[in-house]
Amino acid sequence: DGGITQSPKYLFRKEGQNVTLSCEQNLNHDAMYWYRQDPGQGLRLIYYSQIVNDFQKGDIAEGYSVSREKKESFPLTVTSAQKNPTAFYLCASRSWAAGNTIYFGEGSWLTVV
Amino acid sequence: AQSVAQPEDQVNVAEGNPLTVKCTYSVSGNPYLFWYVQYPNRGLQFLLKYITGDNLVKGSYGFEAEFNKSQTSFHLKKPSALVSDSALYFCAVPGGGNKLTFGTGTQLKVEL
């Protein structure tokens, strides 16, 4: 099946730990995105990448890092510098050929314990 | 900066009645506008988009949206609501850097 796969669905992090959320797409999309969703605050953009080996900060990049070594993959690392990481994280991708429509994965819940 | 606003946090409607979820926009130039739906604990699903042309855009699951340039609105509508339409709805607009900026979302609750 074609789509965007996020893993794990649920992740627990201890204070001071870094954790990495996986995002893989087999849609041959060029651009990939990471959004954070908190209750009542909608979606906020963390990082995005328009091509391989290039990425830009979004609105709330502090405490996060990404890499884009392959077109299909855009992992997000939540570092210990992110003071309030508990949230729902959404990965998305877009093909230039398909216009501006962005498609989303199923999301990953991160909880600090 | 491109932005959208969803003035209602929650909309309640009875099953079988028409529903409207409101969105207003602020963009420079010709707007591209999107609607997405999110069911609990799931990712966002694309419903429909307006690029140019007809002001009434038809999308998935029987939804449609009306683009109104004079009122800078892009309201989501459905003639007859279903309980299964209960979800969180987001309006969105492309911003700089080819990324989407989302509204704060409207929770739709359809009751029997």
Side-chain angles (χ1 to χ4, degrees), chain B residues 2 93-101:
Chain B
Q2 320 281 71
V93 63
N98 296 303
K99 55 187 184 289
L100 275 185
T101 298

Side-chain angles (χ1 to χ4, degrees), chain A residues 51-70:
Chain A
I51 57 173
V52 175
N53 293 322
D54 186 50
F55 48 84
Q56 289 79 40
K57 293 181 179 180
D59 302 318
I60 56 165
E62 185 175 352
Y64 299 97
S65 66
V66 293
S67 62
R68 187 86 187 277
E69 298 177 0
K70 298 186 298 182

Side-chain angles (χ1 to χ4, degrees), chain A residues 38-60:
Chain A
D38 297 279
Q41 295 191 39
L43 278 71
R44 293 182 289 170
L45 183 65
I46 304 172
Y47 269 98
Y48 63 105
S49 168
Q50 300 189 64
I51 57 173
V52 175
N53 293 322
D54 186 50
F55 48 84
Q56 289 79 40
K57 293 181 179 180
D59 302 318
I60 56 165

